[in-house]
Amino acid sequence: MRESLLDVDESFLKETFQSIGEPGYRVTQVLDWIYQKKVATFAEMTNLPIHLRDFLDKHYKIDPLTLLTYQESADGTLKFLFSLGDNEKIESVLIPMNQNLTLCISTQVGCPLDCKFCLTGVMGYTRNLTAGEILGQVLFIQRWLGPKKRISNVVFMGMGEPLANYQNTVKAIRVMLSEKGLNLSNRKITVSTSGIVPGIRKLGREDFIVNLAVSLHAPSNDLRSQLMPINRKYPLEMLLEACREYPLPKRRRITFEYVLLKGVNDRPHHARELAKILKGFRCKINLLPFNEAPELPYERPSDAEVLQFQKILIEQGYSVFIRTSRGRDILAACGQLAVRSSDTGCSGFKLRPISSATASTGFFPSKSMA
Ligand code: SAH
Ligand code: SF4
């Protein structure tokens, strides 16, 4: 199987080129074609000699993933279904909001952490994504969008737990941040974690600093351990200490995410307890009204209950936002990503097969074309 160049280090490529008698500057040219010009094939690398293009094509590929289908939600959110080299499947979600285009990417096939309210967790765990497969989601979708639309934010909130796939997550972030890579600003990248404490600490010691979102979901260890088994290993006190020490610059704040499950963690006393444990934190709280799925045993609270929860926290001085669930109709909202067989068939949603022609010309679907 041909290896993706997104999974090959620059130094390895240099050695390989040297061994076949190619000058070092060819590596720079190849990387420029991939990351700046964003071509999809070696044939398009027109300033390389034909024999080198042939060599690359024989031994390598560019994209580690193939787009199978995408679905468009009534609210404009797009869900992409990719197949990987071993036929595993992952999803990425593109969310247009005002002038921004936020891309939500996956880091694992499934997830091993088994949070009880999350469909990805219920689906179980198959494997980690490689760095190229993580990065490849951003590169592919940016190419697909074409040069006029730019992905403005990348959030690690798709399938999987990024800090349980630490090395590859960090490797992918480095290329996203690099000038020679995707040249994204570190302020525009957010890693979301269920609270893997050693991973949070390690991320804080890297030579870059990205935004951190922490999935809290309960104000007490008892309740949190029921909802998120990872809390038994890294309880709230440990988690909050690691969050306090995460070295975000002064003007930036950590985000806490709190999924609201009707009758479980959404009562006024939960809001008051949450306010108490977060006392003194410079943070932002995102409330996520539960996104339902037939496989999950919880209910979404009413809008009035959500607003009441928010009000209690605001009165305690917190910045609290209710995250609208974008793409719920196509199961693209938080916690709804799980590749089902129906995703490759049809389930009554708009579902379009992608031909390589549309995939490489940056065709952007509009509602009128649906
Ligand atoms: N594994 C990481 C990132 C992926 S999940 C994490 O857990 O943080 C992104 C967010 O969606 C998390 O806050 C997660 O708890 C939340 N989520 C999971 N299932 C959900 C559901 N059914 N409804 C609403 N939010 C959910
Ligand atoms: Fe994994 Fe995050 Fe889902 Fe928990 S919420 S099962 S950590 S993807």
Side-chain angles (χ1 to χ4, degrees):
M1 203 166 61
R2 289 179 303 161
E3 192 175 11
S4 163
L5 278 191
L6 305 193
D7 272 312
V8 171
D9 288 339
E10 190 174 344
S11 54
F12 181 84
L13 203 57
K14 274 189 182 141
E15 280 169 35
T16 308
F17 277 27
Q18 211 172 17
S19 72
I20 56 167
E22 290 295 336
Y25 67 85
R26 294 283 184 221
V27 173
T28 312
Q29 286 177 319
V30 169
L31 296 180
D32 185 62
W33 279 112
I34 294 177
Y35 293 110
Q36 309 308 319
K37 302 194 177 81
K38 298 187 178 58
V39 297
T41 62
F42 295 115
E44 292 163 82
M45 301 186 174
T46 47
N47 59 358
L48 301 189
I50 302 240
H51 69 265
L52 181 56
R53 288 185 239 167
D54 289 344
F55 169 85
L56 288 169
D57 199 40
K58 190 165 164 209
H59 297 280
Y60 299 100
K61 55 186 178 181
I62 297 177
D63 289 320
L65 21 82
T66 310
L67 185 57
L68 293 179
T69 54
Y70 65 89
Q71 288 173 276
E72 186 184 0
S73 158
D75 66 20
T77 299
L78 290 158
K79 183 168 82 167
F80 298 82
L81 176 68
F82 291 107
S83 123
L84 310 176
D86 56 0
N87 267 331
E88 292 297 341
K89 297 185 180 56
I90 54 157
E91 294 174 329
S92 320
V93 179
L94 185 67
I95 309 157
M97 211 183 301
N98 308 325
Q99 294 309 307
N100 287 332
L101 271 178
T102 297
L103 181 64
C104 175
I105 58 172
S106 295
T107 52
Q108 299 181 311
V109 181
C111 181
L113 296 192
D114 197 26
C115 300
K116 303 303 176 197
F117 45 82
C118 171
L119 205 55
T120 314
V122 168
M123 156 192 175
Y125 168 73
T126 306
R127 71 166 172 89
N128 280 334
L129 298 192
T130 65
E133 288 165 341
I134 298 172
L135 179 66
Q137 298 165 64
V138 189
L139 184 63
F140 187 102
I141 293 171
Q142 181 57 64
R143 184 196 303 136
W144 185 85
L145 285 166
K148 294 214 177 109
K149 295 180 193 273
R150 190 167 147 77
I151 294 169
S152 44
N153 299 68
V154 172
V155 296
F156 285 74
M157 296 185 184
M159 297 163 73
E161 164 54 50
L163 299 184
N165 183 11
Y166 188 88
Q167 231 184 333
N168 294 338
T169 294
V170 163
K171 213 166 154 187
I173 292 175
R174 284 192 192 286
V175 184
M176 287 178 207
L177 294 174
S178 154
E179 261 181 49
K180 285 194 288 181
L182 296 177
N183 203 11
L184 282 164
S185 154
N186 64 343
R187 283 173 286 116
K188 303 291 183 178
I189 296 179
T190 301
V191 169
S192 175
T193 178
S194 57
I196 305 213
V197 169
I200 296 175
R201 293 195 181 283
K202 211 162 154 196
L203 194 64
R205 289 194 299 268
E206 295 291 346
D207 57 3
F208 58 79
I209 190 83
V210 289
N211 298 316
L212 186 68
V214 174
S215 297
L216 218 47
H217 305 333
S220 69
N221 279 320
D222 267 1
L223 184 56
R224 193 164 191 271
S225 296
Q226 279 174 38
L227 300 173
M228 307 174 76
I230 189 72
N231 191 67
R232 296 191 197 120
K233 196 159 180 193
Y234 306 116
L236 273 171
E237 308 74 52
M238 262 172 97
L239 174 58
L240 293 177
E241 193 184 315
C243 293
R244 273 206 179 83
E245 287 168 13
Y246 189 73
L248 272 180
K250 279 248 163 340
R251 286 187 312 279
R252 279 156 71 186
R253 288 179 292 173
I254 211 163
T255 301
F256 289 110
E257 304 191 84
Y258 195 100
V259 64
L260 287 166
L261 310 167
K262 191 180 177 72
V264 176
N265 67 351
D266 69 334
R267 305 290 81 213
H269 74 89
H270 293 121
R272 287 191 290 271
E273 282 173 64
L274 184 62
K276 221 175 188 173
I277 65 166
L278 294 183
K279 217 173 185 72
F281 246 110
R282 279 188 317 110
C283 64
K284 188 172 109 175
I285 302 174
N286 275 348
L287 300 177
L288 292 86
F290 175 61
N291 294 312
E292 295 177 338
E295 296 87 341
L296 300 171
Y298 301 102
E299 280 174 60
R300 187 185 181 91
S302 68
D303 289 352
E305 286 165 318
V306 173
L307 286 170
Q308 190 192 22
F309 199 94
Q310 181 190 36
K311 186 164 170 267
I312 294 170
L313 290 167
I314 290 178
E315 282 168 0
Q316 298 292 320
Y318 293 97
S319 310
V320 193
F321 304 88
I322 299 169
R323 274 253 294 268
T324 50
S325 310
R326 301 289 301 265
R328 262 165 88 199
D329 56 347
I330 54 165
L331 290 178
C334 284
Q336 292 189 312
L337 300 185
V339 179
R340 303 165 159 152
S341 50
S342 63
D343 286 351
T344 46
C346 198
S347 49
F349 300 114
K350 285 173 267 174
L351 191 69
R352 300 187 191 84
I354 295 290
S355 71
S356 52
T358 52
S360 60
T361 51
F363 157 75
F364 191 81
S366 66
K367 285 201 188 104
S368 60
M369 300 176 83

